[in-house]
Amino acid sequence: MSTFDQDNRLQWVERISRLMDSQFRVPGTNWRFGLDPLMGLIPVVGGLPSLAISGVLILTMMRHGASGQLVVRMLLNVILDTVFGAIPVIGNIFDFAYKANDRNVRLLRRHYAEGKYQGSGRGLLLVVLLVFFALGGLVIWGVWEVGSALWHYLAQHSWQ
């Protein structure tokens, strides 16, 4: 039985989480931040790399013993961070304060300390991937439908 600190892959998760949420310190303060709020400053697409990295971290934690209940809590942290982080100005402030990845690592550490880790989360991983593919398909279908409607509208009104 390995502990959180003995597992190199989980140490990798902790290092990436720190880089994203708390790697840098504002001089003269205890206030810490990472790359996540900095990427959030890029309009429209700034939150996408952060969301992808958070997803990889959660998948890694799932593969190394996070229970289904814990993964749901982690996903809620990331969704909350993503939704509020997408709001201009307020989202940037939220990103500096919330630190979803650091929260998720603390949750997993506590999970390990309590001896609740369960090994592989392949079943839950499959369900999560199916849901993401379904949502992705719905988004693609929605964009197609909106684009098609717009195309037809413009085609009808541009000839008059």
Side-chain angles (χ1 to χ4, degrees), residues 1-4 10 61-62 64-74 103-119 124:
M1 176 166 82
S2 70
T3 65
F4 187 98
L10 295 176
M61 289 184 249
M62 282 174 61
H64 294 92
S67 68
Q69 181 182 9
L70 182 64
V71 170
V72 168
R73 289 179 66 190
M74 291 177 181
R103 287 174 186 264
N104 287 346
V105 169
R106 283 194 304 273
L107 284 171
L108 187 64
R109 276 188 165 281
R110 187 168 43 238
H111 198 62
Y112 257 70
E114 294 170 358
K116 294 182 180 177
Y117 59 95
Q118 301 173 346
L124 183 60

Side-chain angles (χ1 to χ4, degrees), residues 15-24 32-43 45-55 57 77-86 91-104:
R15 284 191 306 273
I16 298 299
S17 173
R18 187 179 322 112
L19 176 65
M20 294 302 294
D21 289 345
S22 58
Q23 182 72 43
F24 312 107
R32 302 193 73 79
F33 65 96
L35 295 179
D36 182 24
L38 298 177
M39 287 188 294
L41 295 172
I42 302 170
V45 297
L48 294 178
S50 177
L51 178 61
I53 291 168
S54 295
L57 294 177
N77 279 335
V78 170
I79 290 169
L80 184 68
D81 184 45
T82 301
V83 168
F84 282 105
N92 296 89
I93 295 167
F94 185 81
D95 275 343
F96 276 99
Y98 191 67
K99 302 176 185 349
N101 295 312
D102 282 349
R103 287 174 186 264
N104 287 346

Side-chain angles (χ1 to χ4, degrees), residues 57-67 71 74-75 108 119-126 128:
L57 294 177
I58 289 175
L59 289 174
T60 303
M61 289 184 249
M62 282 174 61
R63 291 182 55 221
H64 294 92
S67 68
V71 170
M74 291 177 181
L75 286 171
L108 187 64
S120 174
R122 288 187 181 138
L124 183 60
L125 174 60
L126 180 61
V128 168

